[in-house]
Amino acid sequence: MRFLLSPVIILIFLAGIISACNECNDCGPGSAYPFFKIRFFNIDSLIKVEEGISIAQDSLDSLNVLIAEGGDEYIPARDQLQNELSRLFVISNNIQNGKIRVESVSGIGTDKIIYYRDSVTHDSLTVFNFPLSMDVGIANYIVDIYGRKDTLSVLYNLETKTLGQSILIRAYELNVSYHTYDSLKISCISETCLSNATTISVYF
């Protein structure tokens, strides 16, 4: 006897995954100088979504076999499952691209919140610009994503340059001194890891 999970059970399972892992419409930080770029990758959610895709695909294959054998009553369930599977593929792709919503970013020891330029439209982003302090060579952040709050501390050196009548402050030798993520990677365009040209990718 062929084993087939109930389409209703499958859809309830997938709905739970989607509600937990749905790509949120992101907000992105306003331009501030100097800054570094940061990307967020929710690996835990990606694993759950990939598990959901596998289960949904197996059930879809079983439904297609039953339909091919004359079980037309399974067609509505098959169509609904296909729609849910398509949504899971979109979510998986967004997570892999780093598309995520950051609820808020604040500095440690201060009530100041860094707001994002798309906070009104809630458009999703894959890259965020985190401003650096222009007074000291350390910046601390508390990042809220889906209610999860992580800490990130960045060390750097500051230099001031005069360009005509303009004064330019930039940071170099950016490095992460502390974080509460599972892992992270720093990508620098130059050997000195200049601000505005350095990207930190965090994984959680």
Side-chain angles (χ1 to χ4, degrees):
M1 181 175 66
R2 181 180 295 110
F3 175 75
L4 176 66
L5 289 177
S6 166
V8 174
I9 294 177
I10 292 297
L11 292 176
I12 291 175
F13 174 81
L14 296 180
I17 291 178
I18 290 172
S19 63
C21 309
N22 201 354
E23 81 286 37
C24 294
N25 292 327
D26 254 354
C27 314
S31 297
Y33 299 91
F35 64 84
F36 65 91
K37 300 176 182 179
I38 185 167
R39 304 186 69 190
F40 298 93
F41 298 92
N42 191 341
I43 303 303
D44 289 342
S45 290
L46 180 60
I47 292 174
K48 293 178 182 178
V49 171
E50 295 297 332
E51 290 175 350
I53 289 174
S54 178
I55 293 173
Q57 188 62 64
D58 289 345
S59 296
L60 186 61
D61 292 342
S62 297
L63 285 172
N64 283 328
V65 170
L66 292 175
I67 292 170
E69 294 175 348
D72 292 344
E73 68 272 19
Y74 293 103
I75 291 177
R78 188 272 313 273
D79 293 344
Q80 189 174 2
L81 191 55
Q82 283 181 328
N83 291 334
E84 296 299 334
L85 188 58
S86 296
R87 292 182 61 188
L88 283 176
F89 277 124
V90 170
I91 294 172
S92 174
N93 185 64
N94 287 339
I95 294 175
Q96 293 182 65
N97 289 332
K99 193 173 186 179
I100 203 169
R101 176 178 182 173
V102 173
E103 301 293 342
S104 67
V105 181
S106 58
I108 297 178
T110 176
D111 294 331
K112 183 178 180 182
I113 301 292
I114 303 172
Y115 289 104
Y116 296 98
R117 61 174 176 267
D118 293 322
S119 60
V120 176
T121 60
H122 295 290
D123 289 337
S124 297
L125 295 179
T126 58
V127 180
F128 298 82
N129 296 336
F130 275 24
L132 296 166
S133 171
M134 291 183 286
D135 300 319
V136 294
I138 183 172
N140 302 306
Y141 310 88
I142 299 176
V143 184
D144 185 345
I145 297 178
Y146 307 143
R148 166 180 169 151
K149 295 184 178 180
D150 284 285
T151 301
L152 177 70
S153 298
V154 179
L155 295 176
Y156 49 93
N157 294 315
L158 289 168
E159 67 176 2
T160 302
K161 286 191 173 184
T162 301
L163 299 176
Q165 296 182 345
S166 300
I167 297 177
L168 173 66
I169 299 177
R170 69 177 185 175
Y172 63 97
E173 295 183 353
L174 272 75
N175 191 27
V176 174
S177 60
Y178 177 78
H179 70 88
T180 57
Y181 296 102
D182 293 340
S183 63
L184 60 77
K185 180 178 67 176
I186 301 176
S187 301
C188 305
I189 294 179
S190 64
E191 292 183 359
T192 54
C193 288
L194 287 173
S195 55
N196 304 24
T198 296
T199 301
I200 299 176
S201 298
V202 300
Y203 305 86
F204 61 97

